[in-house]
Amino acid sequence: MSKLQEPTVDLALAFEHDLDEAEYTLILEILGRTPTYSELGIFSVMWSEHCSYKSSRSYLKELPTEAPYVLQGPGENAGAIDIGDGLAAVFKIESHNHPSFIEPKQGAATGVGGILRDIFTMGARPVASMDSIRFGPLDDPKHQHLLRGVVDGIGGYGNPVGVATVGGETQFHERYRGNILVNAFNLGIVDADRIFLGKASGVGNPVIYAGSKTGRDGIHGASLLASAEFGEDGEAKRPTVQVGDPFTEKCLIEACLELMQTDVIVGIQDMGAAGLTCSSFEMASRAGTGIEMDLDRVPQRAEGMTPYEMLLSESQERMLLVTRDGEEKRALEIFSRWGLDAAVVGRVTDDGHMRIRWYGETVVELPIDPVAASSPIVNRPKAVPSDLALRQQLDLDAIAPEDDLEAALEALLDSPNLASKEWIYRQYDQLVQGNTVIGPGGDAALVRVCREDGSATKKALAMALDCNPRWCWIDPFEGTRAAVAEAARNVACTGARPLALTNCLNFGNPEKPEIMWEFSEATRGLAEAAIALGTPVISGNVSFYNETSGTSILPTPTIGVVGLLDDWQKHAPSHFPKEGLDVFLLGPEEASIAGSEWLALRRGIEAGMPPKVDLVHEKRLHGLLASGIASALIVSAHDCAEGGLAVALAECCFGQRARPALGVWVTAPGPAGESATAALFGERAGRVLVTSARADELLAAAKAADVPCRAIGRTGGEHLQIAPPAGSSASPRLWVDARVAVLETIWRRGIPRRLET
């Protein structure tokens, strides 16, 4: 008689596991029998939206993924690009949204831990992290709590594990009140010929479990927490959130990287979503092999755990690896020396099946392919949102112009979306490992490239995360094109050449046709922009069901772009570096208040189509910035984005705390008849503020590059002064005449003053 007592599996139990009737029927057809309880659990997590990408896979196949320098594209733990000198950059972005809403500190912390494992499982040392986080209004005490918790979790994991957090983005909006977003990015460096893959190859090779012991935390985190929208019972899901240990993660990083210096490892993968189940099935699926495993050999920290619990646990800081036969002892010794649990738990087989035993009793016997690579694809219906026309319509003539331009600028600088994020990033270690050139607060982060032995190269990697969800809600196709363009533009503002991108596509419930239409349009825009800018998609993540009680988040396709700078010393800051420099606007002069931050903040309207992105212009702009910064023709560069020209100028004046505030005198660009509101606060993609000490040369270089370029002012003094366009009859003489120090105080206090109440 079996000593294992499990529930009887039927359709009702399948429903409880978030499987529908068609999926349960397909399981019966695949097996020719009723699945065991453990097998049902495996199907539920592997066929969940979070693990199988069943609603999105067909769209993701249309994204460009190849370039001569792409060493590894989507399908592995992370993507990799060749950066020269025998080195590769490995990077990816992932979501941890629902766990962070339920338990902000641990949800965010384990999100950081998970993305770190995705990177070092490829053989790369993690060197730089970023985060893209979004919350409801900051005047809501709950979201003040969520912000504090998420920031505590990010810093509380990244700081002790020893990886610098070098950048990111933070936004607040009503539509994130019921579902926050926490997207975590990491980049690592590896020898280009030492990249490891998650494949269980070599029949007879041992399968080794390493890291923390397995507990009951995180069970069904992938299927029931990340693959369903929130309802009134959201708080009840708190037990499914994992608990992270950054000190164990640090040991795991060092142990794995040490082992990777040998020839022992055949394949390796972290145990992330769906834990031991997902890692084992995916490794075997990629290799076309099978695995036999003994669960009773798995290190456990809880007594009486069942096979179902061990297979679905999402306990953190765990890895699964396959070594060469006969090399088990060497691997186990290294893990033991780093104080980590490790055990041989199985072997690779040749029959394409997963056989799992528990004290000698077979509890799982499944074909691997239909569970993993050939899991069901769902072609969900799409429909244009019924209110799309209203989102896109805006009678500009009916919008009352700003009657106090300086007050409007102060209000924008004070708003949490545009205010300094210093309160957040000062809680992160930005300098650990000593290679941060540009940290948080700039257009993009910049990190020097070093080899594993610590020797430095001249190269640096720039990285940026960007998305304007309001634009994506107004038009998901154009908004996503704009997100790709902005991330690439921010990287180019450092002087780097954008090379490749990763994405975290955050959307609502895919079972709603309007959401699937938004997703399909966003991926179409992503593909078009990536092709035009020469930035293939090498990794990414889809996060659906970001919805609570029927209210979806704004469509938020977060884009991460990485670029290469050949000489890290030849980079540009985003702030004005000194007095006496000429200020230029690169790109189109005219902008629009449609879909702008000013329109939302000062008029309470979120509507209107912003000007479309000119991707041909963006590519030319990248080239001009790269050559201009390399030759010191361009001294500083700052993207002109949310908040428009006036906010961008103010940000250039603020710079860094170590440098006194620096003013600027500017004549607003644009036609003389353009309204002051549009000229100062209108938004448009493709615009960059740059400074130069060689004005004539810059104008000539811009003309040769076919990039619009106009001299608009000069740095100096203690005031931000903006005059109307030349020939304008506007009164008073100056649109803005404000002390930079006053504006900077408002900007720096925007977030902390709200958290002090």
Side-chain angles (χ1 to χ4, degrees), residues 185-256:
F185 167 99
N186 188 260
L187 177 145
I189 304 296
V190 63
D191 290 342
D193 60 352
R194 298 289 293 174
I195 294 174
F196 289 81
L197 303 179
K199 294 184 177 181
S201 303
V203 175
N205 281 335
V207 177
I208 296 177
Y209 171 112
S212 294
K213 290 181 171 67
T214 294
R216 291 189 171 93
D217 47 327
I219 293 174
H220 271 301
S223 58
L224 299 186
L225 183 58
S227 298
E229 66 177 77
F230 281 142
E232 298 301 324
D233 62 342
E235 293 297 322
K237 297 181 180 180
R238 188 179 300 273
T240 64
V241 178
Q242 315 94 313
V243 176
D245 180 354
F247 299 101
T248 297
E249 181 100 338
K250 175 62 174 174
C251 292
L252 192 58
I253 291 173
E254 299 304 332
C256 288

Side-chain angles (χ1 to χ4, degrees), residues 110 113-114 117 212 217 242-245 271 314-318:
T110 51
R117 290 192 297 280
S212 294
D217 47 327
Q242 315 94 313
V243 176
D245 180 354
M271 293 188 217
E314 293 183 7
S315 294
Q316 295 292 286
E317 295 88 37
R318 301 182 301 160

Side-chain angles (χ1 to χ4, degrees), residues 575-577 652-663 717-718 740 744:
H575 58 272
F576 294 146
C652 290
C653 292
F654 301 155
Q656 301 169 327
R657 280 188 179 270
R659 181 186 61 77
L662 179 61
E718 298 178 352
V740 172
E744 185 173 11

Side-chain angles (χ1 to χ4, degrees), residues 49-50 53 56-57 60 94-95 503-507 519 540-544 546:
E49 192 70 61
H50 189 73
Y53 287 49
S56 61
R57 243 186 301 165
L60 301 179
E94 278 271 8
S95 62
N503 61 80
C504 195
L505 307 178
N506 306 274
F507 288 81
F519 180 82
N541 170 240
V542 176
S543 177
F544 278 130
N546 293 292

Side-chain angles (χ1 to χ4, degrees), residues 396 401-402 405 589-594 596 598 643-646 668-670 673-684 687 735:
L396 293 174
E402 190 61 66
L405 298 172
E589 296 180 0
E590 294 183 68
S592 172
I593 61 169
S596 68
W598 174 86
L645 177 68
E674 185 178 26
S675 76
T677 302
L680 296 186
F681 309 119
E683 298 173 7
R684 183 169 189 167
R687 306 196 300 167
W735 279 345

Side-chain angles (χ1 to χ4, degrees), residues 537-593:
V537 181
I538 67 164
S539 61
N541 170 240
V542 176
S543 177
F544 278 130
Y545 294 101
N546 293 292
E547 192 161 323
T548 297
S549 300
T551 300
S552 169
I553 62 165
L554 296 175
T556 311
T558 304
I559 305 298
V561 169
V562 171
L564 180 65
L565 188 61
D566 291 327
D567 185 344
W568 71 267
Q569 296 185 77
K570 296 180 179 180
H571 69 273
S574 60
H575 58 272
F576 294 146
K578 62 181 180 179
E579 294 188 358
L581 294 173
D582 291 312
V583 180
F584 297 83
L585 177 65
L586 301 181
E589 296 180 0
E590 294 183 68
S592 172
I593 61 169

Side-chain angles (χ1 to χ4, degrees), residues 494-513:
T494 68
R497 292 174 288 111
L499 289 181
L501 68 83
T502 184
N503 61 80
C504 195
L505 307 178
N506 306 274
F507 288 81
N509 186 344
E511 297 165 36
K512 296 181 178 180

